[in-house]
Amino acid sequence: MSWSKIPPWALLSLATNGILMLTVILLIVRAESSSSDLQNLSGLQGNGSSAIENASGSQTPVTEPELGPRHQWNYDQWLAQLQREAEAIAANPPERLGVLAGDSISLWFPPELLPPQRTWLNQGISGEVSSGLLKRLPLFDKSNPEVIFVMIGINDLIRGIAPSEVVENQRAIVRDLVWAHPNARIVVQSILPHSGAGSTWEGRDRLLTIPNEQIRDINRELAAIASEEGVEFLDLYPLFADSQGNLRLELTTDGLHLNEQGYLVWRTALMVFDPI
C-alpha cells in the first residue's frame, strides 16, 4: 500500500495516537514508582464515589470539590445547575472555551488537571446516558466553544441499552453539535474499558455482563461515525487498557471511575490532541 494514498487525517491520527501511547507508558511507569501517592489519591477520590455511582444523586458543583456535605440533587436540579454555568459562560465568553459533555467520568475531571490552555465548561452529569445527553445539548448552545469533547455510553450498557441504540444516539449527538456549533471542533471520545473481575464498584455484577470486547466494537463504530460526519475521534481506550483489554487498576478507584492518575493520562491525551 502506498503511503500517498492514505488520507492526511488518518496519518495525523496515527501519529497522535503513537505520541499518546508513549506518553501514557511514561505516566504508568511513574505511577508504579509512586504507589504510596496513588493510594492517597485513591482515598481522596473514594470520598466521592457514592455520588458518582448514584444516577439520581449528586455532589456539590464540580467547581467547588472541596466543600464537605453532599447535596442530593435530582436530575432536574443538575440540569438547572449546568444551565446556570453555561449561561454564565455565554454572558462573559472566554477567548478559548472547551466543553466536556458526558457522564460522571467527565463530571469528576478535577478542574486543576484540565489542560490550562483553555477555559473549561464541564457539562457532565452522574449516571447520564446517551439519550439524556442528546436531549440536553441545547443547554450550552450559546456558549460558543472552540472545541467540544464528548464521552458517553458506559451507563447505557450498564442499564442494558442495546449497543446499536448507543451508536445511533451518538450519531444524533454529533449531528446536533455540528449544527449548533458550526465553528467548533467536535471530538468524539471512545468509551473507556472497565476493570472486569478486578472491579470493586458496587455495580460490579452489571459490569461483568459487559465484555470489554463489546466496548471496543462500539468504539470502532464511533470512529466510523466521526469520519462519516466530518468530526474528530480520540481513541482513549488503548491508553487505559491493560494487556487483557481491561481498565488498568492503577488508573481507577473502583474499576469504572478514574483516580487522579487516570485523569492525568486523560489530561495528557487532551493536551497532545488539542495543542494551542
Side-chain angles (χ1 to χ4, degrees):
M1 179 181 66
S2 172
W3 287 99
S4 62
K5 296 181 179 179
I6 300 178
W9 64 264
L11 291 173
L12 178 60
S13 178
L14 287 171
T16 299
N17 279 308
I19 294 171
L20 288 178
M21 285 297 294
L22 289 174
T23 305
V24 169
I25 289 171
L26 292 175
L27 281 172
I28 291 171
V29 169
R30 187 179 70 178
E32 291 173 348
S33 65
S34 307
S35 59
S36 60
D37 291 340
L38 283 178
Q39 185 174 8
N40 293 334
L41 293 172
S42 296
L44 176 62
Q45 288 286 331
N47 291 336
S49 62
S50 61
I52 293 174
E53 297 161 5
N54 185 352
S56 62
S58 59
Q59 279 192 316
T60 49
V62 294
T63 53
E64 299 178 337
E66 72 281 4
L67 297 182
R70 308 301 187 191
H71 297 297
Q72 295 300 314
W73 287 356
N74 60 35
Y75 190 80
D76 288 339
Q77 289 171 317
W78 262 118
L79 290 179
Q81 174 64 17
L82 295 186
Q83 184 170 14
R84 285 191 294 269
E85 294 178 0
E87 288 175 351
I89 285 286
N92 188 23
E95 288 187 9
R96 296 187 178 278
L97 177 65
V99 174
L100 294 179
D103 52 33
S104 62
I105 297 176
S106 295
L107 169 65
W108 294 114
F109 206 126
E112 69 275 10
L113 293 184
L114 283 165
Q117 66 266 34
R118 294 193 178 280
T119 298
W120 291 93
L121 175 64
N122 194 320
Q123 293 281 288
I125 291 184
S126 179
E128 185 65 286
V129 293
S130 57
S131 59
L133 177 58
L134 175 60
K135 291 176 182 177
R136 63 180 173 86
L137 291 178
L139 292 181
F140 61 91
D141 273 356
K142 298 179 181 179
S143 61
N144 194 31
E146 279 192 346
V147 61
I148 303 170
F149 288 93
V150 178
M151 181 189 289
I152 198 72
I154 188 62
N155 288 316
D156 295 70
L157 301 178
I158 290 172
R159 296 185 185 188
I161 296 172
S164 59
E165 184 173 343
V166 178
V167 170
E168 287 311 305
N169 284 341
Q170 293 247 29
R171 185 186 296 276
I173 287 168
V174 167
R175 289 178 174 176
D176 185 287
L177 291 174
V178 169
W179 176 81
H181 306 276
N183 298 319
R185 294 174 61 198
I186 312 300
V187 183
V188 178
Q189 299 171 109
S190 59
I191 301 172
L192 300 182
H194 59 77
S195 296
S199 301
T200 58
W201 181 54
E202 66 178 11
R204 178 178 181 274
D205 291 344
R206 284 177 284 165
L207 283 183
L208 293 179
T209 66
I210 306 168
N212 276 315
E213 178 58 40
Q214 182 182 71
I215 295 176
R216 288 196 292 270
D217 289 342
I218 294 173
N219 287 338
R220 283 189 282 269
E221 293 192 64
L222 296 182
I225 287 174
S227 177
E228 292 163 7
E229 301 296 332
V231 301
E232 300 174 71
F233 181 71
L234 175 55
D235 190 5
L236 295 169
Y237 189 105
L239 308 182
F240 287 86
D242 62 18
S243 59
Q244 285 75 47
N246 298 325
L247 177 59
R248 291 180 178 273
L249 294 177
E250 64 267 28
L251 302 180
T252 178
T253 60
D254 56 9
L256 175 61
H257 303 99
L258 302 180
N259 60 20
E260 188 158 343
Q261 192 64 35
Y263 281 110
L264 282 171
V265 172
W266 193 357
R267 166 193 167 99
T268 301
L270 293 179
M271 293 183 72
V272 173
F273 193 83
D274 180 38
I276 292 181

